[in-house]
Amino acid sequence: RKDFNYDYIEDIKVPEIKKWAEDYGFTVEELKWIQPGYAPNTTMEPLSGGTTGPVHVMSVDNTTSRLLFAGDFTEVDDSPCSNIGKYENNQLSCLGNGLSGIVHAVYGNTSGVYAIGAFEDNGITYPIARFENGNWSYIGIPGRSGAEATTAFGNVAAQSFELAISHPSFTGQEIWFGDPNGTWTKKAEVNGVVKTIEASGWGRVFAGSFDTLKAFVSGTLDTTFSTQNVAFKGNMVDLWFGISDSAICDTVLSVEVVGNSIYFAGSCSEETNRSDVCLSRYQNELLQPLLLK
């Protein structure tokens, strides 16, 4: 038990096995046939030296088989590194010297790594940072110097992004779309904050904490509507709509699309004037609460 607990017979290389089998009328081969299976025994191991602070976001870059991670730390695997690194070929390392600022999301492919948040460079704050060929560069939105992006939906291969940004010039947030040519278009405003953006059969899903959305077409206000923390934009068209049902979280932090259903999860509370819905499902244009506080 000390050295071979839960091991299979064929892996226990000691002479006592043959002696035990003979004493009880078996052969070792017969013991192999009748040995039961065991529940998976998961072993958690630290990754090298880890980080000196918390990791807040991670993503898998399937094109290069690496894990990207970011947070609030100054070292990775006992080496200096600011806030962003990777795990590749069984090794932890920094992306360049790291980033100065706040990382809310990170994406990567063979062409590079994109970080979403607020990053300082020469006294200017940018919402996107790009790591390519060992160096960081920064991407801003015209007229929005100092913007912070809270979340994004990115097509890294096409170098196009949909950003939700906060900016000192206005209350709430703006939603901007950037194309591969570097052209940015303002698509909407919300009177709160967008926490996550996901793709669905209904179109793009924007979720967080807000109750009003203003949609823009060609830079001009097109429509304003009320919604409960979620807004949809049609695929390839400037058609927006929201959810009026209150059976949803105070703040939606996560969206998961499963078939024709969309699940919303986030903060919930029993306090007065706050929602006690922690998890709900949107299906057939109806919102159904699944988990209550």
Side-chain angles (χ1 to χ4, degrees):
R1 290 186 63 185
K2 177 177 178 295
D3 295 325
F4 303 104
N5 205 32
Y6 295 117
D7 282 0
Y8 286 104
I9 298 294
E10 63 187 31
D11 298 322
I12 304 176
K13 308 298 185 182
V14 295
E16 287 84 358
I17 284 289
K18 186 173 185 301
K19 175 70 165 57
W20 188 94
E22 292 174 348
D23 287 348
Y24 286 91
F26 295 101
T27 67
V28 173
E29 289 301 316
E30 287 172 331
L31 292 182
K32 292 180 184 179
W33 296 340
I34 65 174
Q35 185 181 20
Y38 303 116
N41 184 18
T42 302
T43 302
M44 306 297 290
E45 298 288 347
L47 294 181
S48 304
T51 66
T52 53
V55 171
H56 297 306
V57 294
M58 296 188 295
S59 69
V60 175
D61 175 9
N62 291 316
T63 63
T64 59
S65 300
R66 62 185 169 183
L67 172 69
L68 304 170
F69 59 90
D72 185 13
F73 48 82
T74 57
E75 291 184 6
V76 168
D77 196 18
D78 303 321
S79 296
C81 182
S82 296
N83 304 329
I84 187 166
K86 65 177 180 177
Y87 180 64
E88 187 175 20
N89 297 325
N90 298 319
Q91 290 185 330
L92 286 175
S93 61
C94 196
L95 287 176
N97 294 321
L99 282 172
S100 174
I102 303 170
V103 185
H104 291 301
V106 59
Y107 308 92
N109 71 353
T110 53
S111 67
V113 173
Y114 290 83
I116 307 299
F119 313 106
E120 288 187 23
D121 182 60
N122 293 323
I124 301 175
T125 300
Y126 297 87
I128 301 177
R130 181 184 182 185
F131 185 74
E132 185 181 24
N133 299 324
N135 296 302
W136 286 101
S137 59
Y138 301 89
I139 302 171
I141 298 173
R144 294 295 183 266
S145 176
E148 175 181 349
T150 54
T151 188
F153 187 92
N155 184 336
V156 179
Q159 298 185 33
S160 63
F161 288 91
E162 300 162 24
L163 290 183
I165 66 167
S166 301
H167 190 264
S169 66
F170 56 87
T171 302
Q173 285 196 314
E174 295 178 325
I175 297 171
W176 287 77
F177 286 19
D179 65 23
N181 297 320
T183 301
W184 288 91
T185 305
K186 180 179 174 177
K187 292 293 186 178
E189 293 180 0
V190 297
N191 67 334
V193 60
V194 178
K195 291 290 189 179
T196 183
I197 307 173
E198 297 292 339
S200 78
W202 296 85
R204 196 74 76 237
V205 186
F206 299 81
S209 178
F210 52 88
D211 59 23
T212 303
L213 184 140
K214 297 179 180 179
F216 290 77
V217 176
S218 300
T220 302
L221 179 62
D222 179 66
T223 183
T224 300
F225 59 86
S226 298
T227 184
Q228 196 69 29
N229 301 333
V230 174
F232 294 86
K233 179 188 176 297
N235 291 318
M236 309 301 292
V237 295
D238 287 318
L239 177 63
W240 293 79
F241 64 96
I243 291 178
S244 59
D245 198 317
S246 61
I248 200 166
C249 316
D250 282 315
T251 300
V252 178
L253 300 173
S254 181
V255 176
E256 189 74 19
V257 179
V258 182
N260 294 323
S261 300
I262 304 176
Y263 293 83
F264 301 108
S267 62
C268 52
S269 173
E270 294 176 310
E271 297 178 12
T272 304
N273 299 324
R274 293 189 63 187
S275 173
D276 63 351
V277 179
C278 308
L279 175 69
S280 55
R281 177 176 61 195
Y282 188 65
Q283 188 177 45
N284 298 325
E285 300 185 32
L286 295 175
L287 195 61
Q288 175 189 11
L290 300 180
L291 180 65
L292 305 179
K293 178 72 173 180

